[in-house]
Amino acid sequence: MNLMGNIIVNVTIAFLVGSLLLGFQREVMARIQRRPGPPVIQHLLHTLKFYIKESSFPRTAAMPFYVAIAATLCGIWISAVIVGPVLEGSLLLFFGIYALHKIVEHNAGSSSGSPYGKLSCVRAVFSAAAELPLFAVLAIIYLQTRTMMISDIIGYQSIHGPLILKLPLAAMMFFVLILSKAPYSPFSITKGKDIISGYETEHFGVLRGYLMISESIAWYMLLWIFLTVFIGGLSLPLYILGMVIITAVTAFINATTPMLNPNHSVAIQVILAFAGIAGSIILMLVM
């Protein structure tokens, strides 16, 4: 298969699997909370629905930036698929893409002119203060494997075993990062119920469809990176099995944990990050 065909196949898989996983997460949460809940395909149906609805643009929106930012967010995560499953490139580049996501998330909120979007974009900057220490997992992985290339990390684990056994606290740090991006997460302060849908509040029609596609691909890619970096290269069925398990775990946490206010959210993530950094360094020195 040529490069373009490989990209199209992997992006399609990321979108479809990511959409079903987000639907599965809502279904698990509903069952835990003893309510019917939506079908597993609900997120996918909602995404497709927005492409047949009329697009609306608030008068306060900063055009054309308001339109471009939604498409950019989608393009960023498509780039992540290319860096990850397609090329197995640099882990540092993948986290650079994640940092761009935070910038675009901020601008998506500020460009609409909505007070809910503006508060969400402020919280996006605030949440970055908690997520940046979690990026120290990159340094920990490099100190253990002496490489940032995903393909080389896979090769390292094929010889020395899964990194999750050697760096369990680093895996915990990455899991907290994943949890912070899960819908209805206790750390999801950019889309808290008090600000409606956060930076997505004023986006409708095709623009909302772009945002929902990016959510699906982002969820798939965060789980793919976690499984690849801490367990190793897997077959597609095993990747999907691992993603289902992690999604179910996050759904359980989300269903049984109240949403934290921004101060508590950042404080807890920072504490977990520094505990993970210190613990991982001690484990590497001991082992």
Side-chain angles (χ1 to χ4, degrees):
M1 185 183 298
N2 60 31
L3 179 60
M4 183 56 66
N6 196 10
I7 292 173
I8 292 173
V9 168
N10 278 279
V11 169
T12 303
I13 291 173
F15 166 61
L16 293 176
V17 174
S19 296
L20 294 176
L21 287 172
L22 290 175
F24 173 69
Q25 184 182 69
R26 291 184 64 185
E27 179 70 19
V28 173
M29 290 178 62
R31 297 302 178 185
I32 292 173
Q33 295 171 347
R34 296 185 179 181
R35 51 187 176 84
V40 172
I41 62 171
Q42 191 66 51
H43 191 276
L44 177 61
L45 294 178
H46 276 173
T47 303
L48 299 177
K49 174 189 71 177
F50 280 113
Y51 284 94
I52 60 174
K53 286 189 173 289
E54 181 181 358
S55 297
S56 61
F57 307 95
R59 292 182 179 180
T60 55
M63 303 290 283
F65 185 61
Y66 172 78
V67 175
I69 203 70
T72 301
L73 187 60
C74 190
I76 284 173
W77 286 107
I78 291 175
S79 299
V81 175
I82 297 173
V83 172
V86 176
L87 300 178
E88 294 183 352
S90 173
L91 189 60
L92 191 61
L93 183 56
F94 178 86
F95 277 91
I97 290 172
Y98 182 87
L100 283 176
H101 161 77
K102 295 300 297 181
I103 295 172
V104 174
E105 187 180 79
H106 170 273
N107 291 332
S110 62
S111 64
S112 68
S114 165
Y116 303 114
K118 289 180 179 178
L119 184 56
S120 178
C121 76
V122 171
R123 290 187 179 183
V125 176
F126 195 46
S127 66
E131 294 170 9
L132 286 176
L134 293 172
F135 285 160
V137 71
L138 291 175
I140 296 170
I141 293 170
Y142 177 78
L143 290 174
Q144 182 68 39
T145 63
R146 297 300 175 180
T147 182
M148 281 278 98
M149 296 299 295
I150 296 173
S151 56
D152 293 339
I153 293 173
I154 293 173
Y156 176 91
Q157 291 178 100
S158 65
I159 299 173
H160 302 282
L163 283 178
I164 196 170
L165 301 178
K166 299 178 180 296
L167 303 172
L169 294 177
M172 177 272 294
M173 292 167 60
F174 199 101
F175 176 77
V176 172
L177 187 63
I178 292 175
L179 182 61
S180 70
K181 305 313 297 179
Y184 316 105
S185 163
F187 301 120
S188 184
I189 61 175
T190 59
K191 293 186 187 177
K193 294 179 180 179
D194 56 329
I195 52 175
I196 317 298
S197 297
Y199 62 89
E200 296 180 349
T201 301
E202 300 297 335
H203 291 81
F204 201 73
V206 174
L207 298 182
R208 187 60 170 266
Y210 285 149
L211 295 180
M212 294 192 72
I213 287 177
S214 68
E215 287 178 357
S216 299
I217 297 177
W219 185 248
Y220 175 91
M221 283 307 305
L222 287 172
L223 300 183
W224 185 91
I225 284 290
F226 179 87
L227 292 170
T228 302
V229 169
F230 291 103
I231 296 179
L234 304 172
S235 62
L236 182 59
L238 289 179
Y239 267 120
I240 293 176
L241 176 61
M243 291 175 183
V244 168
I245 293 172
I246 296 173
T247 300
V249 172
T250 59
F252 177 81
I253 294 172
N254 295 346
T256 57
T257 308
M259 187 172 290
L260 301 172
N261 68 42
N263 292 328
H264 292 162
S265 174
V266 171
I268 291 175
Q269 289 182 78
V270 169
I271 290 171
L272 291 174
F274 281 105
I277 294 169
S280 295
I281 293 175
I282 292 172
L283 283 176
M284 285 190 292
L285 292 175
V286 171
M287 297 175 64

